[in-house]
Amino acid sequence: MTSSLFHFADDGPRVSCLMVTADRRALAQRSVGCFLAQDYSNRELIIVDDGEEDYAPILRDIPADRVVYHRLDRQPATTLGELRNLSLDLARGELIAQWDDDDWFAPHRLSHSVDALGDKAAVWGEATLMHLDDPAWIDRPYLGWFKGGAPSTILHRRRDDIRYPSERKGEDSTYRDAWRRLGTALIRQQDAHLLIRCFHGRNTWDRHHFERRLALRPAQIVEWRLRQLTGTTERYSAFRLSAAQRDAFDLYVAQSRALGLF
């Protein structure tokens, strides 16, 4: 692929997509491909990398003025929250989007989020699609709910007075909550496929963190337990995807397999 296949322009506010990463180039290549495929033209990718792998080969299709690749030596005391703050400092856009290296993004993730933002300070989704890279789950994506909304889906206006806490885990949830007082919008369940969260074994959170989102709400917990008891888990509501959600998952699988990720 060459950069001429992808559309970049200065229409609308610039969106800075922030990726903090280390030694996950294969996964990041999928995320970079999703960035390139976005239908929102005024975008840039900001990468903060404190690993040893060189990401330059997977960035060659991004125009030079649309990427900032910042490498630094790893310091054990540096937290994920501090690295995310560095990516905020490097961003040049009016709008900021979290763009994790191991997530998959639908081509209209940015355009939909910008539209949904309206005149609010921030927007995020109430759910995402979830996928476990495991033989028993490889063909069983599900709708995953998050208390307060999925922090990895956030898009917000640029503000220098809101920062990530110096935490190694959960920093994005705290950051999400700091925006509530300013006025926020919510992307509904029907658009959960704008982002697919994948458990691959090297995540910040363990497998339980992903699996518990299968049944997070009280009604879901009751339904899931009843279906386990009756042997009807295949009919569980979180497995019922819309046509658009299924199409997004199929595209995610095809791209992941083409890259040898599973």
Side-chain angles (χ1 to χ4, degrees):
M1 292 187 293
T2 64
S3 58
S4 62
L5 297 176
F6 307 105
H7 181 59
F8 291 89
D10 292 324
D11 304 324
R14 173 71 62 92
V15 179
S16 297
C17 302
L18 308 187
M19 178 191 297
V20 173
T21 187
D23 298 326
R24 298 204 295 203
R25 191 171 73 182
L27 283 167
Q29 185 173 2
R30 181 178 63 195
S31 182
V32 168
C34 291
F35 169 80
L36 283 165
Q38 291 298 297
D39 61 12
Y40 187 86
S41 61
N42 197 358
R43 64 196 187 279
E44 65 177 12
L45 184 62
I46 310 295
I47 300 176
V48 170
D49 176 6
D50 66 343
E52 297 181 359
E53 287 186 302
D54 181 12
Y55 282 35
I58 68 172
L59 304 177
R60 58 170 58 104
D61 288 328
I62 306 178
D65 64 337
R66 299 290 176 161
V67 61
V68 174
Y69 180 34
H70 183 83
R71 299 189 72 182
L72 67 160
D73 293 333
R74 180 172 297 173
Q75 301 295 329
T78 303
T79 66
L80 180 54
E82 291 167 335
L83 293 172
R84 290 198 189 278
N85 284 332
L86 176 55
S87 71
L88 284 173
D89 294 338
L90 294 169
R92 301 169 295 190
E94 301 170 52
L95 302 177
I96 308 292
Q98 187 168 323
W99 202 268
D100 286 344
D101 62 355
D102 54 353
D103 288 338
W104 180 90
F105 309 88
H108 55 293
R109 185 258 162 135
L110 289 181
S111 59
H112 186 94
S113 297
V114 171
D115 287 345
L117 179 67
D119 61 356
K120 302 296 186 181
V123 63
W124 55 76
E126 63 178 348
T128 73
L129 285 190
M130 308 284 287
H131 182 244
L132 275 66
D133 184 3
D134 177 275
W137 288 88
I138 201 72
D139 295 318
R140 297 187 85 184
Y142 55 93
L143 288 168
W145 295 89
F146 294 78
K147 184 178 180 180
S152 58
T153 65
I154 192 170
L155 180 141
H156 60 78
R157 300 189 187 280
R158 187 184 191 96
R159 283 183 71 107
D160 295 332
D161 60 334
I162 299 180
R163 308 285 285 179
Y164 286 90
S166 296
E167 299 173 355
R168 298 186 183 278
K169 298 172 76 170
E171 79 299 328
D172 53 354
S173 295
T174 304
Y175 186 73
R176 173 205 61 198
D177 291 342
W179 289 90
R180 293 186 185 280
R181 62 183 173 83
L182 300 174
T184 61
L186 194 63
I187 297 172
R188 297 297 179 182
Q189 170 193 331
Q190 64 221 43
D191 295 305
H193 58 287
L194 292 176
L195 188 150
I196 298 177
R197 294 194 72 206
C198 175
F199 176 76
H200 46 79
R202 296 179 60 200
N203 306 78
T204 302
W205 293 96
D206 62 17
R207 181 179 178 128
H208 174 69
H209 173 81
F210 285 77
E211 289 183 328
R212 68 186 291 262
R213 268 139 190 83
L214 183 66
L216 193 64
R217 296 176 169 183
Q220 290 180 308
I221 294 171
V222 171
E223 182 193 356
W224 179 240
R225 288 176 178 170
L226 285 173
R227 292 203 177 279
Q228 286 179 307
L229 288 171
T230 58
T232 58
T233 57
E234 72 281 357
R235 287 187 278 167
Y236 178 55
S237 57
F239 294 140
R240 299 176 201 148
L241 305 188
S242 68
Q245 291 165 352
R246 176 57 63 177
D247 287 346
F249 178 72
D250 290 344
L251 181 58
Y252 153 81
V253 168
Q255 293 175 347
S256 300
R257 285 181 170 154
L259 292 170
L261 292 174
F262 52 79

